[in-house]
Amino acid sequence: KKDVIKAASAIALNPMPSSKDKGQRICDDAYKIPGFGGWCPMTLLDVSLLTNYYKQVTLEQARLDHAWDFPHAIYIDAVDFDGTIRTSGELPWERGQSYDPEEIKRYGAAWAIISRNLHVMCDDVTDEKKKSQCNELMHTAEMGIQQHPAKRWDHPLKGRLSKWPESHSAESDTFMEKAPASFSSNTPNTATN
């Protein structure tokens, strides 16, 4: 969005407080995340991490709810190792020498897609040998998901909310009831999320 780029420029480059305030309002309006204020994604990686934080919700819903399906093409930024996407809001270079890669939050997006596709493929398998192979593959995919489960937390300054946008939809309340415990808001609200 051109407005967001202009807003980020006004915030970062213009020394006038009124310009910074206007830029922040434009940024807040563009993202429409409740409580989102005082920060605007300044880099493509910032935007990608924010997008991935909410993208994990729909990917996980498509994996768990068999009424949902994945689109024919999925475009994801901030791809990381082991089939994951980064969802944490802090950029690696913001941490300086205290940077610890284990603190980066990730979601096993590739494992979710593989798991869902295996369920679709294997649901109608009747041959015992093929069924055994399906079960083994599904177990492997589930292990990958357990290593990098979907996680939500509250850090409004960086645009992360554990109950948004779900809290605005009756259908999504049902999804949150079906979601595994690992998908609940179980990460504390800290400035490093």
Side-chain angles (χ1 to χ4, degrees):
K1 295 179 177 181
K2 287 182 185 179
D3 288 345
V4 175
I5 294 169
K6 287 179 185 177
S9 297
I11 293 167
L13 303 174
N14 195 321
M16 301 300 292
S18 61
S19 179
K20 290 179 185 270
D21 290 344
K22 182 180 178 186
Q24 189 61 56
R25 282 191 305 276
I26 291 169
C27 190
D28 295 348
D29 290 344
Y31 284 97
K32 298 184 181 356
I33 298 172
F36 187 54
W39 178 75
C40 189
M42 296 291 171
T43 68
L44 181 57
L45 185 55
D46 278 326
V47 174
S48 296
L49 294 172
L50 181 60
T51 301
N52 284 354
Y53 177 80
Y54 290 103
K55 196 170 284 186
Q56 74 176 334
V57 175
T58 54
L59 290 172
E60 190 71 358
Q61 187 160 9
R63 180 181 80 85
L64 295 173
D65 187 341
H66 291 225
W68 282 54
D69 204 354
F70 290 109
H72 295 289
I74 298 175
Y75 301 94
I76 299 175
D77 293 317
V79 176
D80 211 334
F81 75 95
D82 199 23
T84 63
I85 57 173
R86 286 188 183 194
T87 58
S88 61
E90 193 167 78
L91 301 177
W93 53 84
E94 289 177 337
R95 299 187 64 111
Q97 293 183 355
S98 67
Y99 171 68
D100 179 3
E102 295 300 315
E103 292 181 15
I104 294 174
K105 291 174 181 60
R106 298 173 176 88
Y107 169 64
W111 291 113
I113 295 166
I114 291 167
S115 171
R116 179 68 174 107
N117 283 323
L118 284 169
H119 281 283
V120 169
M121 282 182 4
C122 295
D123 273 352
D124 295 332
V125 172
T126 55
D127 179 83
E128 287 303 314
K129 183 178 178 184
K130 288 181 181 177
K131 190 173 221 130
S132 174
Q133 290 170 335
C134 277
N135 288 336
E136 187 177 324
L137 290 170
M138 285 192 278
H139 176 74
T140 301
E142 292 301 318
M143 295 300 292
I145 291 166
Q146 287 177 16
Q147 287 181 325
H148 304 287
K151 292 181 183 170
R152 310 269 323 261
W153 62 91
D154 288 308
H155 192 309
L157 179 63
K158 292 280 187 163
R160 273 75 171 172
L161 299 176
S162 61
K163 302 286 187 211
W164 185 84
E166 287 86 18
S167 60
H168 303 287
S169 165
E171 293 174 4
S172 57
D173 290 339
T174 307
F175 162 66
M176 291 306 288
E177 290 170 10
K178 292 180 190 175
S182 64
F183 192 64
S184 65
S185 172
N186 59 1
T187 305
N189 180 8
T190 65
T192 59
N193 291 343

